[in-house]
């Protein structure tokens, strides 16, 4: 696909952990479309993974960021301002819940477990979008986050992450309303299950993959590339009239009633 949809565009990506990350699939696709990319990483262990990936797409911006740390968030956007002076696209592909909260009964979720999941998986979108907004407004920019169907319906073991994703999807709508007047769009992709580091924390994930293959209208699981194609649409001029939307990229699984 040679459209050069992102020629001259600056894209900042939160959430690459390794080459399987959904965020990396999106990064590669935007790179192929001419984007200039910047990356953040969580901790030194992941830095070793993220730096070579960033280099492979010619990135000049690789910055540490734990989204629970306001000082680190501020420093990321200070560097974006200094290096690029503007931002066209913010990719938020970050989520976390304690492992013990991704199994058993949701009712047993601890206060701390709940707050952790909601802070990292939902509030972080608000915090990042607020810091990015002045830079995005200059460029008529885009914010994109990743969500999952467990926000709408009960999925075994997804538990507190389902509640966090429900908050995230509502945040997308409120942020879209806030930033729309400045020409900034905010959307989410609700991806079908994909084998990644984060997914490996969910008990019974393999069974979910099997179920989709068996039941979804397209009779297959989606890939990082499927999600990336939708991201190209939403974050480029092709999606110019779309904001506050949750777009399913799930082989159609969510349309089934039974
Ligand atoms: P992943 O493990 O590759 O990505 C998750 C990322 O979150 C990692 O890069 C990790 O470093 C980052 N992260 C966690 N805590 C953080 C913190 N405190 N500060 C900064 N970063 C932090 O897995 P993925 O599947 O690519 O997940 C990306 C997004 O896609 C998540 O929001 C996830 O919920 C969503 N999603 C995944 C699936 C799936 O089946 N894999 C389906 C739908 C939605």
């Amino acid at each position: 696909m040679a459209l050069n949809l992102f020629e001259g565009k600056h894209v900042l990506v939160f959430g690459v952990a390794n080459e399987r990350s959904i965020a990396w699939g999106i990064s590669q696709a935007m790179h192929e479309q001419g984007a200039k990319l910047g990356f953040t990483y969580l901790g030194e262990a992941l830095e070793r993974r993220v730096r070579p990936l960033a280099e492979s797409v010619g990135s000049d911006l690789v910055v540490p960021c734990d989204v629970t740390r306001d000082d680190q968030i501020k420093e990321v956007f200070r560097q974006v301002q200094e290096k690029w002076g503007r931002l066209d696209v913010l990719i938020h592909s970050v989520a976390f819940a304690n492992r013990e909260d991704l199994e058993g009964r949701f009712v047993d979720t601890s206060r701390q477990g709940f707050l952790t999941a909601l802070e990292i998986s939902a509030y972080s979108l608000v915090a990042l979008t607020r810091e990015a907004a002045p830079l995005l407004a200059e460029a008529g920019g885009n914010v994109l986050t990743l969500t999952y169907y467990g926000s709408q319906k009960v999925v075994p073991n997804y538990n507190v992450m389902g509640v966090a994703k429900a908050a995230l999807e509502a945040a997308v709508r409120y942020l879209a309303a806030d930033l729309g007047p400045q020409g900034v769009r905010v959307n989410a992709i609700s991806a079908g299950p994909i084998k990644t580091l984060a997914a490996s924390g969910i008990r019974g994930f393999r069974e979910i993959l099997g179920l989709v293959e068996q039941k979804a209208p397209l009779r297959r699981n989606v890939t990082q590339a499927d999600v990336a194609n939708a991201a190209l649409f939403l974050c480029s001029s092709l999606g110019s009239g779309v904001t506050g939307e949750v777009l399913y990229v799930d082989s159609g699984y969510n349309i089934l009633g039974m």
Side-chain angles (χ1 to χ4, degrees):
M1 219 198 313
L3 297 169
N4 271 344
L5 286 170
F6 289 81
E7 197 65 57
K9 304 280 185 198
H10 293 83
V11 179
L12 180 63
V13 184
F14 291 78
V16 176
N18 56 41
E19 68 291 340
R20 284 198 154 166
S21 294
I22 292 173
W24 179 240
I26 294 171
S27 302
Q28 284 175 298
M30 291 188 173
H31 171 65
E32 281 167 23
Q33 294 293 327
K36 192 167 186 57
L37 292 154
F39 297 89
T40 68
Y41 59 87
L42 175 68
E44 281 170 23
L46 290 180
E47 180 179 13
R48 282 194 290 279
R49 298 243 174 198
V50 175
R51 278 209 182 269
L53 293 173
E55 272 163 30
S56 76
V57 293
S59 174
D60 64 348
L61 194 83
V62 185
V63 195
C65 186
D66 178 335
V67 296
T68 65
R69 296 270 307 270
D70 286 331
D71 57 329
Q72 293 192 2
I73 292 174
K74 279 222 160 11
E75 175 58 18
V76 171
F77 289 98
R78 196 195 61 74
Q79 291 200 32
V80 170
Q81 166 74 52
E82 190 182 286
K83 279 221 157 114
W84 295 346
R86 60 183 270 165
L87 185 64
D88 297 277
V89 179
L90 171 71
I91 304 294
H92 174 277
S93 187
V94 170
F96 178 82
N98 293 323
R99 192 171 275 263
E100 67 263 25
D101 292 325
L102 295 172
E103 57 183 33
R105 302 192 312 164
F106 168 67
V107 72
D108 294 326
T109 308
S110 67
R111 185 185 302 271
Q112 200 48 54
F114 188 97
L115 292 175
T116 296
L118 271 284
E119 179 182 16
I120 298 177
S121 315
Y123 180 72
S124 62
L125 180 71
V126 183
L128 297 183
T129 301
R130 185 169 55 244
E131 291 301 319
L135 291 158
L136 287 166
E138 298 262 309
N142 270 280
V143 177
L144 180 69
T145 187
L146 273 298
T147 186
Y148 177 63
Y149 188 49
S151 64
Q152 305 298 311
K153 303 286 172 184
V154 174
V155 173
N157 300 321
Y158 203 62
N159 296 0
V160 72
M161 191 55 86
V163 176
K165 292 302 194 192
L168 180 73
E169 291 171 21
V172 164
R173 292 185 284 272
Y174 279 90
L175 292 169
D178 279 351
L179 302 189
Q182 281 92 58
V184 176
R185 299 188 289 114
V186 185
N187 291 291
I189 290 174
S190 185
I194 301 176
K195 213 172 149 203
T196 62
L197 190 61
S200 69
I202 299 156
R203 241 186 116 133
F205 186 76
R206 259 207 319 205
E207 284 73 41
I208 298 178
L209 284 176
L211 199 66
V212 169
E213 210 171 283
Q214 213 188 338
K215 306 280 187 201
L218 295 181
R219 297 287 192 277
R220 67 170 178 89
N221 277 289
V222 296
T223 64
Q224 285 86 343
D226 291 316
V227 175
N229 283 337
L232 292 182
F233 156 65
L234 285 172
C235 297
S236 72
S237 55
L238 296 178
S240 53
V242 183
T243 196
E245 185 68 9
V246 178
L247 177 63
Y248 281 87
V249 180
D250 69 342
S251 297
Y253 188 86
N254 76 94
I255 69 168
L256 300 176
M258 211 182 274

